[in-house]
Amino acid sequence: MALVPCQVLHAAILLSYCSILCNYKAIDMPAHQTYGGSWKFLTFIDLVIQAVFFGICVLTDLSSLLTRGNDSQEQERQLKKLISLRDWMMAVLAFPVGVFVVTMFWSIYIYDRELVYPKLLDNFIPAWLNHGMHTTVLPFVLIEMRTTHHQYPSRSCGLAAVCTFAVGYILWVCWIHHVTGVWVYPLLEHLSPGVKIIFFAAVTVIINIFYLVGEVLNNYIWDTQK
């Protein structure tokens, strides 16, 4: 795809995430006032990740346009750093975390929404915003993978980074429970300590699987085109 259409696409998706984040933060929900605020929810963290990622995409597109036809080696080095950061974020955060949030949320929601998204939240969060947080993330990240080639890190480094993120978030959830006595997600209230350990381990494995899926999909798309 040509650079200009990609640039417009990146800018549109970035604006979409900025709108979703602004509308979400404007909601006066009791959960926003408790310990950890919005940052205790993986959905919110994922929205920030996606917004930052597409912000870097827009910055990379602009830098590519500005350096086109320019022989400055310093600008070329800076552009390569931006591209490396963009590719790393896509591989390690934007794709695996985004796909994980969408698939896990809707899987649990279909089984029993009260475990992850109590009906009470419908009074605060409109349906379009819910889909903006839990649905559109998947097509956006798939479109990005289809339109832009991303260089994945070595598999060991990529999996290590994904594991670090997953374990870090699990520890954050456990710390919030330690401080407040309340689990971030109602689902965890129904699990025994042993089952919680198995659940957290399974979550870590699943997000690593999504990393591998992203790597395979990226290679398939671009190797086929080559």
Side-chain angles (χ1 to χ4, degrees):
M1 182 175 286
L3 178 60
V4 173
C6 280
Q7 182 182 15
V8 173
L9 181 65
H10 290 154
I13 294 176
L14 174 61
L15 289 174
S16 174
Y17 278 121
C18 290
S19 175
I20 291 170
L21 282 168
C22 289
N23 279 277
Y24 177 75
K25 292 298 291 183
I27 296 174
D28 185 21
M29 284 199 307
H32 290 174
Q33 313 303 323
T34 57
Y35 185 81
S38 302
W39 291 98
K40 58 178 170 284
F41 301 113
L42 185 59
T43 293
F44 179 78
I45 294 173
D46 178 49
L47 288 175
V48 173
I49 288 172
Q50 302 298 331
V52 171
F53 168 69
F54 280 101
I56 293 173
C57 288
V58 170
L59 187 57
T60 302
D61 290 339
L62 291 176
S63 298
S64 297
L65 287 172
L66 293 174
T67 57
R68 179 176 291 180
N70 194 324
D71 295 331
S72 172
Q73 292 185 351
E74 179 58 30
Q75 289 183 347
E76 284 292 332
R77 281 196 295 268
Q78 295 302 321
L79 177 58
K80 287 180 180 179
K81 289 180 181 179
L82 269 178
I83 292 173
S84 296
L85 177 60
R86 179 201 67 187
D87 292 349
W88 185 89
M89 279 204 68
M90 176 65 173
V92 173
L93 295 174
F95 186 89
V97 177
V99 176
F100 177 84
V101 167
V102 173
T103 54
M104 288 296 290
F105 174 83
W106 287 112
S107 296
I108 299 175
Y109 185 97
I110 292 171
Y111 174 74
D112 184 356
R113 67 169 296 177
E114 294 299 319
L115 296 176
V116 67
Y117 192 82
K119 196 172 180 61
L120 176 66
L121 292 179
D122 290 342
N123 298 323
F124 300 95
I125 302 177
W128 72 265
L129 185 55
N130 180 29
H131 285 291
M133 296 187 297
H134 297 115
T135 305
T136 58
V137 174
L138 182 57
F140 283 167
V141 79
L142 289 176
I143 290 171
E144 168 61 17
M145 180 167 284
R146 176 64 183 81
T147 57
T148 306
H149 176 253
H150 297 277
Q151 186 67 43
Y152 267 60
S154 67
R155 182 167 293 180
S156 58
C157 291
L159 290 175
V162 173
C163 282
T164 300
F165 175 85
V167 172
Y169 180 70
I170 289 170
L171 292 176
W172 171 231
V173 169
C174 291
W175 174 256
I176 292 173
H177 177 261
H178 172 74
V179 172
T180 65
V182 178
W183 288 103
V184 173
Y185 302 102
L187 168 67
L188 297 173
E189 300 282 357
H190 303 278
L191 304 180
S192 65
V195 176
K196 282 189 182 73
I197 294 174
I198 296 174
F199 176 78
F200 288 144
V203 163
T204 304
V205 170
I206 291 171
I207 198 169
N208 275 274
I209 290 174
F210 285 138
Y211 170 85
L212 296 175
V213 169
E215 182 185 46
V216 171
L217 184 59
N218 180 73
N219 292 338
Y220 173 77
I221 290 172
W222 295 98
D223 287 347
T224 299
Q225 289 191 357
K226 289 179 183 178

